[in-house]
């Protein structure tokens, strides 16, 4: 970690017997991200702002990252993308202190701590960027993700009834969680990231 608490990338980490590389997303990730998205359960893609199973949407995502609209960290092993974490800042002046956190992990890596690790990385980036509040969205039946986020200090802020519609036309409630980043920073300073939240 640097003095600002942001990891240097690329970074190799050991996780549940896997050696995983964390790094910034780049233009060469287009095909890997599309492959990753197309391997995901359709339900996991419901709350995303763009359909990342489509090449042109991933191109737009990469362009936005290059312009600094968002920051994305990908986790890969042997060239295969296993997950990503993204911080997306609102460009509206009245909510520029707020950023949305999005984390997605392949089914094969769930329950191994990768989602938590990516969340910690994005938090470190948010701290360095001066973000004061992080938001996350998920459907109510994503119980594993909800438990992970709540275990890291996120708290429910809103429940939007019938807010998401899947490809079959079924409606789902959307849960909005939030976390005050300043509180995370205080915990990190007191205990260290791993000490406060585990891995």
């Amino acid at each position: 970690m640097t003095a600002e608490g942001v990891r240097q990338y690329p970074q190799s980490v050991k996780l549940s017997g896997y050696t995983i590389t964390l790094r910034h997303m780049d233009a060469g990730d287009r095909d890997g991200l599309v492959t990753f998205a197309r391997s995901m359960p359709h339900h996991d893609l419901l709350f995303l702002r763009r359909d990342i199973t489509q090449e042109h949407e991933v191109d737009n995502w990469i362009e936005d990252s290059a312009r600094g609209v968002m920051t994305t960290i990908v986790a890969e092993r042997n060239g295969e993308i296993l997950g990503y974490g993204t911080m997306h800042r609102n460009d509206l002046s009245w909510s520029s202190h707020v950023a949305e956190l999005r984390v997605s992990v392949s089914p094969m890596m769930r329950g191994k701590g990768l989602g938590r690790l990516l969340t910690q990385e994005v938090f470190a980036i948010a701290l360095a960027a001066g973000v004061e509040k992080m938001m996350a969205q998920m459907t109510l039946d994503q119980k594993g993700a909800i438990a992970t986020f709540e275990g890291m200090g996120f708290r429910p802020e809103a429940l939007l009834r019938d807010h998401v519609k899947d490809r079959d036309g079924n409606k789902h409630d959307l849960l909005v969680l939030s976390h005050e980043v300043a509180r995370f920073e205080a915990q990190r300073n007191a205990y260290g990231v791993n000490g406060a939240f585990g891995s």
Side-chain angles (χ1 to χ4, degrees):
M1 304 286 282
T2 68
E4 294 77 19
V6 180
R7 286 187 184 275
Q8 296 291 310
Y9 299 107
Q11 176 83 240
S12 291
V13 296
K14 293 280 190 181
L15 198 64
S16 298
Y18 294 88
T19 299
I20 295 172
T21 299
L22 301 177
R23 58 174 177 76
H24 286 286
M25 180 178 72
D26 60 41
D29 289 322
R30 180 212 198 206
D31 292 343
L33 286 166
V34 171
T35 298
F36 168 82
R38 291 178 179 175
S39 72
M40 297 289 285
H42 292 310
H43 190 80
D44 289 5
L45 305 174
L46 284 179
F47 62 93
L48 300 182
R49 293 179 179 269
R50 53 178 52 128
D51 182 1
I52 60 172
T53 65
Q54 304 301 313
E55 289 90 345
H56 70 279
E57 291 286 4
V58 175
D59 287 338
N60 292 337
W61 180 10
I62 291 171
E63 289 174 10
D64 285 346
S65 292
R67 291 189 294 111
V69 175
M70 60 180 63
T71 301
T72 299
I73 301 301
V74 298
E76 70 172 6
R77 177 175 178 264
N78 298 329
E80 177 185 5
I81 293 178
L82 300 175
Y84 69 83
T86 293
M87 181 190 74
H88 185 271
R89 295 194 74 166
N90 197 323
D91 56 3
L92 298 172
S93 60
W94 47 268
S95 59
S96 59
H97 63 295
V98 178
E100 183 179 351
L101 169 64
R102 305 173 201 158
V103 174
S104 188
V105 175
S106 69
M108 68 173 287
M109 290 301 297
R110 292 178 186 178
K112 295 179 170 61
L114 181 56
R116 180 178 292 267
L117 178 62
L118 286 166
T119 302
Q120 290 174 350
E121 295 297 322
V122 175
F123 253 107
I125 292 168
L127 286 169
V131 172
E132 298 175 26
K133 185 177 184 179
M134 295 289 285
M135 309 293 296
Q137 303 180 62
M138 57 204 68
T139 53
L140 278 179
D141 55 353
Q142 293 178 296
K143 298 186 185 302
I146 292 171
T148 295
F149 276 78
E150 289 186 336
M152 296 184 68
F154 279 82
R155 295 293 177 260
E157 184 157 312
L159 178 62
L160 307 179
R161 298 289 184 186
D162 296 333
H163 197 71
V164 179
K165 185 182 288 186
D166 63 27
R167 295 183 180 183
D168 296 323
N170 301 311
K171 296 177 182 177
H172 302 268
D173 298 340
L174 186 70
L175 179 64
V176 179
L177 300 104
S178 67
H179 194 306
E180 299 297 330
V181 177
R183 184 170 58 192
F184 175 90
E185 183 174 23
Q187 291 173 320
R188 181 177 65 87
N189 290 339
Y191 306 109
V193 170
N194 288 335
F197 298 106
S199 58

